[in-house]
Amino acid sequence: MCLAIPGKIVEISSENHDSAIVEVIGVRRRIDLGLLQDDKPTLGDWVLVHVGFAMSKISEQDATDQMNALRMLGEIDGAMQEVRGYGLEDVN
């Protein structure tokens, strides 16, 4: 199953403003912000991430609600496998 997972932007590349690092439950991954040209996220924003791309900006409350829903549905492990499965290295 493919999931959109909330992540908090913790860094935006100074060399490529379409590249950012998000944190999802302690795991950091590089993602692409290119799909959000009309509403560019900034440091500290929350985004829904799908296969390495930020799909939309969301509020922190919506991010919390989404993660709680994934936990209640027993999908949190699947969500983390999705994050790890982006094919990108862990970013520390």
Side-chain angles (χ1 to χ4, degrees), residues 67-84:
M67 292 307 287
N68 288 338
L70 290 171
R71 280 188 190 91
M72 288 184 344
L73 294 170
E75 294 291 337
I76 200 70
D77 290 337
M80 293 314 297
Q81 286 177 355
E82 173 112 0
V83 170
R84 289 186 179 101

Side-chain angles (χ1 to χ4, degrees), residues 16-80:
N16 177 0
H17 297 288
D18 284 341
S19 179
I21 296 174
V22 295
E23 184 169 310
V24 179
I25 313 175
V27 175
R28 290 183 176 206
R29 288 289 199 217
R30 189 168 306 281
I31 64 162
D32 190 296
L33 302 175
L35 297 175
L36 301 179
Q37 294 297 317
D38 293 337
D39 190 17
K40 206 65 155 171
T42 59
L43 193 63
D45 281 347
W46 286 85
V47 292
L48 280 179
V49 180
H50 178 66
V51 293
F53 291 87
M55 304 302 289
S56 63
K57 284 175 42 174
I58 60 173
S59 69
E60 184 174 2
Q61 183 61 53
D62 287 343
T64 299
D65 292 346
Q66 177 80 7
M67 292 307 287
N68 288 338
L70 290 171
R71 280 188 190 91
M72 288 184 344
L73 294 170
E75 294 291 337
I76 200 70
D77 290 337
M80 293 314 297

